[in-house]
Amino acid sequence: MNIEFIKLEKKILKLWYVISTILFILSLVSIWGICLFANDSDTIVITIPSVIIGGVLSFVFLVLLYGYPSLLYRSYSYYYNDDRIIINKGVFFKHHIVVPVCQIQDLHIYEGPLMQIMKLDGIIISTAGSNYIIKGLSRKDSEKMIESLEANLRKRLEELKDEKLH
Amino acid sequence: MKNFTKKYFAYRCFINLIYTLFVLFLFVTSIFEAFLEKTDGDNVVIESRYLLYVAIGYVVLYAIITIFSYLYYKLSGYEINDKQVIVKRGVLFKRKTVIDLENVHSVNSKQGIIQKLFKISTLLIDSGSTNTSHQAEASIIEDENVVNELIDVLKGKKRVESSNSTSYLENEHSENNSLYNFTSKRKVIYGLIYGTVFALVLFFSIAFTMILSYVISNLSSEPNSFGEIAFVLIICSIILIIGSYVIAFAYSFIRYYGFKLYKENDSLIIEYGLLVKVKNTMKLNRIKAIKVERGLLERMFKYATIKLEVIGYIESSNNGNGNQATIGVLVPLCKESEVNSIIESVSPSYVPKAQQGKAKSFISYFTWTNIILLFALIIPYLFGVMVLLNYNLINDLWIISSIVGATYLLVNIIVLFVSLFDRNNQDIIIDDNRLIIYHGGIIRRTTIIQRHNVIAIEDVTTKWRKEKGIFSYRIHIRTNNMTNVIHVNFIDEHKKDELLNLLIF
């Protein structure tokens, strides 16, 4: 079976970078705050070893915070058709989730504050056991997905009812 | 709509009396203490009018609570008709629960020791909604005989629905024919096994805390001697070991008093309890999964516990966290060799098949744990080093280095220990319309699920594992929402297609 997976909206990457930037600024403040001000004297004291460690830590945070979103974006994809929803995600651990449409109990759309600014949606697919979340669809896509999932679900339930009767 | 029994009001009045007397006791003792402090303990004279105030206050409090109880009794009620169970409860926050009879998952009755005095018991009806999986959706408090009648009514209505005449005949023969006997000998073994488990867990956690506090106190200016700490350790251990066995024996003899497991028509009934009497009734086709559990000690003596996943059938834990619930028990303790025959007598489609394979990889347990662990340790370590360098405390560097090193070593030892047990018990067997999953290491679990209760399949792999054909699986099942995912680690990639074929699309 050849499946064409759908990528998330490109804008979600921007949103993740915004979050990364906020986190990076916070981590810089704490790293250099400790490096320069945590000492016995009242003024800034610069010692070479601690500056080197501060530099290394800043670099590690930079790579992590800005590298991770693009890797996550690349690994994240989803697919749905008449009978199933497939979600792929995970940078190091590749998760591949297959949920049959007939197991859906309810569908939700949600938006966080940043997502509202960027006009992005998330979809929560609830089943009788777990919830599955796809975060970062455009509003058009999410509405389309909910609509077709609902239609598929109704169709499948009718079919299953018929199967039981026969 | 019928009201709860009048005895319920009497019972509430009695409970209110106990509660209010307790409050009064606390109030009076605290007032008395305050008086003593003020007057330095001599010549305490309490004027009689104060006593009058307290008495009036008490009467008012009792009256308010009793009026509330009366309103609650008057405003609550229930109705069981051909289609639905309707239960109304509450005074300020009114709540009306409607459960369609066809959605009733389990019908349980519960009777506490005071309820026994008043000859009333609580009937719990659950629809299996995951929203309320930690508690029953509707409860009716009635005379104990009425509760038994209601259980029969609920069962009878369902029987009419299914209109299966042969089940009537079976009923007469199978009733009260217990499928399993929790004998006194088994209760003793149960007490010994669980008592030892509790005692060991407590002992190790206490020993760990003691060693840690010894190390910390040695770093401070006034170190405790090792003798002092060892003394506390021994005393604590003795108390805890005795306590553990007492609790475990109480559990097996009091909680599981009169344990009965039997089938009636298409329902399974589990009854037990001395102080709190429980009777659980559930339809056999509502069973979501059967779990066979064998802890380390149980394995040594070739025993097993069988548990039952039915939404609504839960044993709330006794540790005070209201929301924590464990899945219900089918058989508290039996010989490993008896497991299959017991399950067969309950529901033949749940008899497990023998394990066929095990985890394909051992090294997988370590690779990622080590990478994540190293990262998680190195960043705080570097922060620590920076601070020490700034304060010129270079001599103390060895302390944090050794703490980080010891943590790294300790976690690795734990991982080694867990993975040694874990790798031998990982397997998925697909058999017709059901799934038999072997998972868990220290506590080995075998879970048997019917095909239609599998909700979704998730596989997890990494680049390296994919090349070697090693996959982990998460099987999402329809059940109480606390235990809905089963993890099976590092097994063959071919299972993936088999699992996907099993899903009902």
Side-chain angles (χ1 to χ4, degrees):
Chain A
M1 196 164 48
N2 199 15
I3 297 172
E4 265 187 43
F5 284 103
I6 311 165
K7 288 252 152 215
L8 295 180
E9 193 68 12
K10 224 24 248 205
K11 274 191 278 179
I12 189 76
L13 194 57
K14 273 190 205 160
L15 190 148
W16 288 339
Y17 280 135
V18 171
I19 295 170
S20 288
T21 309
I22 296 167
L23 290 176
F24 187 57
I25 291 169
L26 287 176
S27 57
L28 281 187
V29 169
S30 48
I31 292 167
W32 295 100
I34 290 172
C35 182
L36 301 175
F37 294 100
N39 53 48
D40 288 330
S41 72
D42 295 334
T43 52
I44 296 172
V45 176
I46 300 170
T47 53
I48 290 164
S50 77
V51 167
I52 292 172
I53 294 174
V56 169
L57 279 173
S58 310
F59 182 72
V60 169
F61 276 87
L62 181 81
V63 171
L64 275 185
L65 289 171
Y66 286 96
Y68 189 76
S70 76
L71 288 175
L72 186 63
Y73 180 78
R74 225 181 286 171
S75 69
Y76 210 121
S77 60
Y78 65 95
Y79 167 83
Y80 62 95
N81 67 5
D82 290 357
D83 64 6
R84 69 190 69 191
I85 304 159
I86 303 177
I87 304 167
N88 284 321
K89 62 180 177 189
V91 174
F92 302 107
F93 298 97
K94 309 280 183 203
H95 293 251
H96 175 84
I97 309 167
V98 182
V99 189
V101 164
C102 59
Q103 298 286 4
I104 296 174
Q105 272 203 332
D106 36 56
L107 293 156
H108 311 264
I109 291 187
Y110 85 101
E111 295 165 72
L114 280 173
M115 288 166 84
Q116 280 178 32
I117 296 168
M118 300 242 181
K119 293 200 169 62
L120 285 171
D121 274 348
I123 283 188
I124 303 175
I125 300 154
S126 302
T127 66
S130 317
N131 291 340
Y132 307 93
I133 301 170
I134 306 172
K135 208 171 166 182
L137 289 83
S138 70
R139 285 199 177 148
K140 216 174 72 195
D141 283 351
S142 68
E143 270 159 30
K144 196 179 126 204
M145 184 168 172
I146 293 260
E147 247 170 55
S148 53
L149 282 180
E150 255 174 30
N152 292 343
L153 176 63
R154 229 170 289 141
K155 206 175 87 194
R156 276 303 293 152
L157 289 181
E158 285 298 316
E159 281 170 15
L160 286 175
K161 227 188 244 172
D162 289 345
E163 275 170 34
K164 266 184 198 164
L165 288 175
H166 289 301
Chain B
M1 185 117 340
K2 199 178 160 225
N3 276 93
F4 293 158
T5 169
K6 272 184 195 148
K7 286 185 211 161
Y8 170 65
F9 180 58
Y11 161 74
R12 285 304 325 175
C13 288
F14 181 71
I15 296 276
N16 292 345
L17 189 71
I18 294 174
Y19 277 141
T20 47
L21 282 177
F22 183 64
V23 171
L24 181 74
F25 172 75
L26 288 182
F27 181 72
V28 169
T29 44
S30 59
I31 291 279
F32 195 66
E33 262 171 40
F35 259 114
L36 280 184
E37 264 175 33
K38 266 194 176 170
T39 53
D40 294 332
D42 34 64
N43 295 329
V44 187
V45 182
I46 299 174
E47 287 178 45
S48 56
R49 62 190 173 111
Y50 288 127
L51 285 176
L52 188 69
Y53 292 156
V54 171
I56 290 172
Y58 174 75
V59 170
V60 170
L61 178 75
Y62 185 74
I64 290 172
I65 295 175
T66 307
I67 289 169
F68 191 83
S69 296
Y70 184 72
L71 285 175
Y72 189 90
Y73 157 69
K74 267 288 164 196
L75 294 172
S76 304
Y78 66 94
E79 187 184 318
I80 299 176
N81 59 31
D82 289 345
K83 283 189 180 142
Q84 293 164 327
V85 182
I86 304 163
V87 180
K88 219 172 68 179
R89 297 185 77 166
V91 179
L92 295 175
F93 296 92
K94 284 189 185 167
R95 197 177 151 154
K96 187 174 170 183
T97 312
V98 181
I99 303 176
D100 282 351
L101 280 183
E102 59 181 278
N103 286 338
V104 171
H105 246 76
S106 55
V107 180
N108 308 328
S109 77
K110 217 173 182 177
Q111 189 181 40
I113 194 156
I114 300 172
Q115 287 185 324
K116 210 180 230 171
L117 285 175
F118 284 86
K119 292 198 166 50
I120 57 172
S121 67
T122 311
L123 179 70
L124 301 158
I125 304 164
D126 202 280
S127 78
S129 158
T130 36
N131 272 333
T132 53
S133 60
H134 59 278
Q135 59 178 40
E137 249 148 4
S139 53
I140 297 170
I141 300 147
E142 259 297 356
D143 188 278
E144 55 187 12
N145 297 323
V146 179
V147 164
N148 285 335
E149 275 169 32
L150 286 176
I151 292 177
D152 285 340
V153 167
L154 284 170
K155 271 192 286 182
K157 288 220 163 118
K158 276 196 228 160
R159 211 180 301 151
V160 173
E161 250 170 57
S162 62
S163 66
N164 190 347
S165 56
T166 50
S167 57
Y168 277 105
L169 293 170
E170 272 173 48
N171 177 23
E172 308 305 323
H173 296 290
S174 62
E175 198 166 357
N176 285 343
N177 191 4
S178 191
L179 303 172
Y180 161 79
N181 242 338
F182 197 23
T183 56
S184 303
K185 187 186 154 203
R186 279 191 180 151
K187 282 179 184 161
V188 172
I189 297 168
Y190 183 94
L192 285 174
I193 288 178
Y194 281 89
T196 314
V197 172
F198 291 149
L200 281 177
V201 169
L202 287 170
F203 175 77
F204 279 117
S205 41
I206 291 226
F208 183 72
T209 338
M210 289 291 164
I211 291 168
L212 209 70
S213 64
Y214 175 68
V215 171
I216 290 169
S217 76
N218 256 16
L219 294 177
S220 74
S221 48
E222 288 172 34
N224 283 339
S225 75
F226 189 73
E228 273 173 55
I229 285 177
F231 178 72
V232 178
L233 180 70
I234 289 167
I235 297 289
C236 284
S237 305
I238 291 171
I239 293 169
L240 285 173
I241 287 169
I242 294 170
S244 302
Y245 283 106
V246 168
I247 290 171
F249 275 101
Y251 216 80
S252 75
F253 278 94
I254 297 171
R255 189 177 165 80
Y256 290 134
Y257 173 82
F259 192 93
K260 245 192 224 168
L261 166 75
Y262 56 96
K263 273 205 293 196
E264 223 180 79
N265 299 320
D266 50 357
S267 295
L268 184 71
I269 296 161
I270 302 171
E271 263 182 62
Y272 55 82
L274 182 67
L275 298 181
V276 179
K277 220 173 172 178
V278 190
K279 182 178 177 184
N280 303 287
T281 311
M282 48 227 140
K283 276 180 109 180
L284 281 169
N285 61 6
R286 297 290 192 191
I287 296 176
K288 299 289 178 231
I290 285 186
K291 265 191 179 143
V292 183
E293 287 190 1
R294 289 162 300 147
L296 265 183
L297 278 172
E298 281 180 302
R299 285 212 293 283
M300 268 183 198
F301 299 103
K302 299 225 178 307
Y303 279 98
T305 302
I306 309 176
K307 289 186 172 171
L308 193 63
E309 289 261 18
V310 176
I311 300 174
Y313 177 45
I314 41 173
E315 280 193 81
S316 48
S317 56
N318 287 347
N319 55 10
N321 300 334
N323 278 339
Q324 265 195 8
T326 52
I327 65 168
V329 70
L330 178 72
V331 166
L333 191 79
C334 67
K335 280 264 179 205
E336 260 177 18
S337 52
E338 289 172 327
V339 169
N340 285 8
S341 62
I342 289 174
I343 296 180
E344 176 137 32
S345 65
V346 171
S347 176
S349 54
Y350 283 97
V351 177
K353 274 192 154 186
Q355 192 183 349
Q356 292 162 356
K358 59 178 188 176
K360 271 180 85 176
S361 164
F362 189 59
I363 198 95
S364 294
Y365 284 98
F366 291 92
T367 40
W368 281 99
T369 329
N370 267 296
I371 293 170
I372 294 165
L373 183 65
L374 271 179
F375 221 79
L377 286 173
I378 275 179
I379 288 179
Y381 175 70
L382 285 178
F383 270 104
V385 170
M386 212 155 64
V387 173
L388 290 180
L389 285 176
N390 277 358
Y391 283 98
N392 257 332
L393 295 166
I394 298 161
N395 291 336
D396 285 345
L397 269 178
W398 71 270
I399 296 177
I400 64 164
S401 304
S402 51
I403 289 174
V404 168
T407 316
Y408 180 73
L409 216 73
L410 190 73
V411 174
N412 263 317
I413 290 168
I414 292 170
V415 171
L416 176 73
F417 189 71
V418 170
S419 50
L420 274 175
F421 286 104
D422 221 50
R423 72 186 284 250
N424 287 323
N425 197 48
Q426 305 290 324
D427 195 17
I428 296 176
I429 302 165
I430 292 145
D431 177 44
D432 290 337
N433 273 329
R434 65 204 187 114
L435 204 56
I436 299 139
I437 306 166
Y438 284 84
H439 58 117
I442 293 181
I443 296 176
R444 287 193 175 175
R445 293 189 171 93
T446 311
T447 303
I448 306 108
I449 315 164
Q450 298 299 323
R451 181 184 183 189
H452 56 266
N453 289 322
V454 178
I455 280 183
I457 300 289
E458 178 177 351
D459 62 72
V460 189
T461 189
T462 62
K463 213 176 154 215
W464 178 84
R465 286 181 202 163
K466 206 171 179 179
E467 282 164 14
K468 302 264 176 191
I470 299 165
F471 275 69
S472 295
Y473 298 95
R474 312 255 185 280
I475 293 148
H476 299 242
I477 61 171
R478 186 192 295 265
T479 166
N480 293 334
N481 56 358
M482 291 146 265
T483 49
N484 52 6
V485 185
I486 297 174
H487 295 231
V488 186
N489 294 322
F490 317 130
I491 60 171
D492 200 82
E493 61 179 329
H494 298 302
K495 292 282 177 194
K496 187 174 159 183
D497 297 329
E498 288 180 49
L499 282 170
L500 285 179
N501 284 335
L502 189 88
L503 271 185
I504 299 170
F505 287 105

